[in-house]
């Protein structure tokens, strides 16, 4: 009897017997993606990149306010994400490798890519450090340079 695959893809959940096979498979998900030159986020098209670039404008206003706690966001999608993950009850997501629990699938994937896959493509522009996701890089910058 053949052992069950141990390494599921964090994007599509296809499983692989070897970690190296899953890492190679993950690269296929990134094909045809467009990368932001500022934060290295991968986006699905030039159109989504164009919308995303507004995130990096210096004089933007946080015009979307959470009615529950007053937090403000640049984009409506960020406010919706905040409400869903902070104010609404949601089940925790468990890391497939180490059983650590996260509030969201996105946070679990960021942890998985950085800690278990050793993928660190998000580089700090101030210090010689790199991270597995833009979320973790942003948290680092908040701590280090107090954004």
């Amino acid at each position: 009897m053949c052992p069950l695959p141990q390494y599921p893809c964090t994007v599509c959940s296809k499983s692989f017997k070897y970690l190296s096979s899953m890492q190679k498979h993950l690269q296929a998900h990134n094909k045809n993606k467009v990368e932001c030159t500022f934060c290295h986020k991968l986006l699905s098209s030039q159109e989504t990149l164009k919308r995303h670039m507004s995130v990096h404008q210096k004089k933007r206003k946080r015009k979307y306010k959470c009615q529950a706690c007053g937090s403000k966001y640049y984009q409506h999608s960020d406010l919706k994400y905040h409400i869903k993950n902070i104010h609404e009850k949601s089940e925790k997501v468990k890391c497939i490798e180490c059983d650590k629990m996260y509030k969201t699938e996105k946070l679990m994937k960021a942890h998985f890519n950085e800690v278990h896959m050793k993928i660190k493509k998000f580089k700090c522009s101030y210090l010689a450090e790199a991270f597995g996701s833009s979320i973790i890089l942003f948290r680092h910058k908040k701590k280090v340079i107090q954004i």
Side-chain angles (χ1 to χ4, degrees), residues 13-129:
S13 299
K14 184 175 180 180
S15 292
F16 298 88
K17 185 176 179 181
Y18 303 104
L19 180 61
S20 59
S21 300
M22 195 268 290
Q23 289 171 326
K24 188 173 183 178
H25 165 80
L26 265 179
Q27 292 173 349
H29 287 294
N30 293 332
K31 282 188 178 170
N32 302 321
K33 299 261 179 161
V34 182
E35 186 174 6
C36 173
T37 55
F38 289 102
C39 69
H40 304 286
K41 182 174 184 172
L42 292 174
L43 300 141
S44 60
S45 68
Q46 283 290 348
E47 187 60 36
T48 55
L49 174 63
K50 191 176 175 182
R51 276 195 313 266
H52 165 78
M53 290 307 284
S54 68
V55 168
H56 301 295
Q57 293 175 352
K58 292 189 185 225
K59 294 185 179 183
R60 286 181 21 157
K61 290 186 178 174
R62 296 175 191 248
K63 60 183 179 180
Y64 299 98
K65 185 176 179 181
C66 175
Q67 298 302 311
C69 69
S71 294
K72 293 182 179 179
Y73 297 91
Y74 295 117
Q75 296 177 300
H76 187 257
S77 59
D78 293 335
L79 173 60
K80 284 178 20 182
Y81 180 84
H82 163 80
I83 292 167
K84 180 182 176 220
N85 294 295
I86 301 300
H87 300 298
E88 293 177 356
K89 291 269 185 193
S90 61
E91 289 186 32
K92 300 243 183 216
V93 181
K94 184 166 71 170
C95 174
I96 54 179
E97 190 75 18
C98 70
D99 296 336
K100 196 169 179 183
M101 300 298 286
Y102 291 88
K103 277 187 176 181
T104 67
E105 183 83 13
K106 191 174 184 179
L107 290 171
M108 186 279 291
K109 286 179 182 179
H111 155 80
F112 183 81
N113 286 337
E114 182 171 3
V115 175
H116 302 297
M117 300 295 292
K118 307 292 187 220
I119 299 170
K120 296 183 178 188
K121 64 182 179 180
F122 297 90
K123 294 171 180 37
C124 176
S125 53
Y126 301 99
L127 302 173
E129 292 187 52

Side-chain angles (χ1 to χ4, degrees), residues 125-126 137-147:
S125 53
Y126 301 99
L137 173 61
F138 182 75
R139 284 182 182 164
H140 159 78
K141 284 183 176 180
K142 277 179 81 170
K143 264 193 261 178
V144 173
I145 59 172
Q146 284 142 16
I147 292 176

